[in-house]
Amino acid sequence: MTKPSEHSEFPPSSRRWTGALHHDLHALSEQASQRRQAMRWMGAGALAAATPLGLFACGGTEEDDSTTYASSSSASGSCSVIPTETAGPYPADGANGQNRSLNALALSGIVRRDIRSSIAGASGTASGVPLSITLTLVDASASCGTLSGLAVYLWHCDAQGRYSLYSSGVTGQNYLRGVQVSDSNGQVQFNSIFPGCYDGRWPHIHFEIYGSLEEATGNSATGDYVKVTQLALPYWACSEVYGTSLYNGSASNLGRISLSSDNVFADDGASMQMASVSGSVSAGMTAALTVAI
């Protein structure tokens, strides 16, 4: 297996969400507005969004930049805030990790549901067992009401454990990266592939949550996210997927790692980050996680 070079996860970002959700989102929006105005004065231009590939039945591929978050008041109950985690060295969000000049969020067409193929002039499609990912965003400070209008940037490695834009052999690719905006049910959905397992990490998916689409993809996008965290995948699903030839090396890498020894999930055993997965290798799999922020 080709392993991404120097793949030690970085310490958690100092830009952590710690206050009340509504207060912080408003503050981030105000800061972003000021930065966007400054960028306009310097003549910066935004990239236009392109229509993504439609390998699955796709929806919500383009969103209005004016979208703002909203919390429903119909839900009742309590939920624990998902832990903040490191974005790792390969986010390509223009702010973190190795080579800060890489910014997938500025790519034309990055707002898309199907993230399996490269975009913006790059060609190439990631092969692997199909995986449909659904995240449901809820407000822990408002009886777990659903949150609409938030932008989620999601990325993960391919079946060989490589990260597009960074890893040897795929620096010219930008697949397995995309942005979606949460709908009235607080949900975002991505059509992807099951990620591989590289040496030293439990199989996982990264994502950042922003106050709006413009916060994520506008000229001012500098990593001012509301939350950055990771999703873990259950052992049974990983074991089944890694038995296929597309995931050469993943099974042995999985055998050398556990949730308790993983440098990200060990702190709480991924109790709030473990996705619910169903399906099969032949039919494809689905992963779902409720994300309280």
Side-chain angles (χ1 to χ4, degrees):
M1 166 177 288
T2 302
K3 186 181 73 172
S5 61
E6 302 178 13
H7 199 276
S8 58
E9 296 282 359
F10 287 175
S13 168
S14 61
R15 295 187 301 274
R16 292 173 180 243
W17 178 82
T18 56
L21 179 64
H22 294 238
H23 175 274
D24 285 3
L25 284 174
H26 177 73
L28 287 173
S29 180
E30 289 296 316
Q31 293 169 9
S33 177
Q34 294 171 9
R35 288 193 305 270
R36 285 192 296 273
Q37 185 61 48
M39 291 295 287
R40 291 188 185 103
W41 288 340
M42 291 186 289
L47 291 175
T51 302
L53 294 175
L55 299 179
F56 281 86
C58 298
T61 54
E62 296 187 23
E63 301 288 346
D64 183 350
D65 280 359
S66 64
T67 299
T68 56
Y69 79 94
S71 177
S72 80
S73 58
S74 60
S76 62
S78 62
C79 45
S80 299
V81 174
I82 194 169
T84 294
E85 305 289 6
T86 174
Y90 308 127
D93 62 1
N96 281 317
Q98 299 178 17
N99 195 346
R100 291 174 181 245
S101 65
L102 293 176
N103 189 2
L105 292 170
L107 292 173
S108 175
I110 194 63
V111 182
R112 61 197 183 133
R113 178 168 171 172
D114 194 318
I115 63 174
R116 293 174 297 173
S117 295
S118 291
I119 53 175
S123 62
T125 298
S127 299
V129 173
L131 178 68
S132 175
I133 306 160
T134 300
L135 303 178
T136 302
L137 309 185
V138 300
D139 189 347
S141 66
S143 301
C144 305
T146 56
L147 288 164
S148 61
L150 298 183
V152 176
Y153 168 43
L154 180 144
W155 73 97
H156 62 81
C157 70
D158 64 14
Q160 288 76 50
R162 304 173 300 180
Y163 283 88
S164 66
L165 296 172
Y166 293 92
S167 301
S168 176
V170 291
T171 55
Q173 303 296 335
N174 50 52
Y175 54 51
L176 306 182
R177 300 178 184 274
V179 175
Q180 284 283 273
V181 175
S182 59
D183 61 19
S184 59
N185 296 314
Q187 293 187 336
V188 293
Q189 296 181 324
F190 295 90
N191 294 332
S192 191
I193 63 163
F194 203 99
C197 180
Y198 50 83
D199 195 21
R201 278 305 317 276
W202 185 267
H204 62 283
I205 293 171
H206 296 266
F207 59 98
E208 296 172 344
I209 303 172
Y210 292 82
S212 68
L213 182 61
E214 193 172 14
E215 291 277 331
T217 63
N219 294 334
S220 63
T222 58
D224 289 328
Y225 38 71
V226 175
K227 174 69 72 173
V228 57
T229 189
Q230 298 180 26
L231 171 156
L233 293 161
Y235 177 82
W236 77 265
C238 297
S239 180
E240 184 172 324
V241 169
Y242 299 159
T244 67
S245 59
L246 288 172
Y247 292 84
N248 183 36
S250 283
S252 58
N253 287 333
L254 182 65
R256 292 191 294 270
I257 190 71
S258 66
L259 285 170
S260 60
S261 64
D262 184 81
N263 66 355
V264 169
F265 299 128
D267 53 356
D268 64 358
S271 59
M272 289 173 283
Q273 297 162 281
M274 180 61 69
S276 173
V277 175
S278 61
S280 65
V281 168
S282 59
M285 293 191 168
T286 63
L289 181 68
T290 297
V291 180
I293 60 176

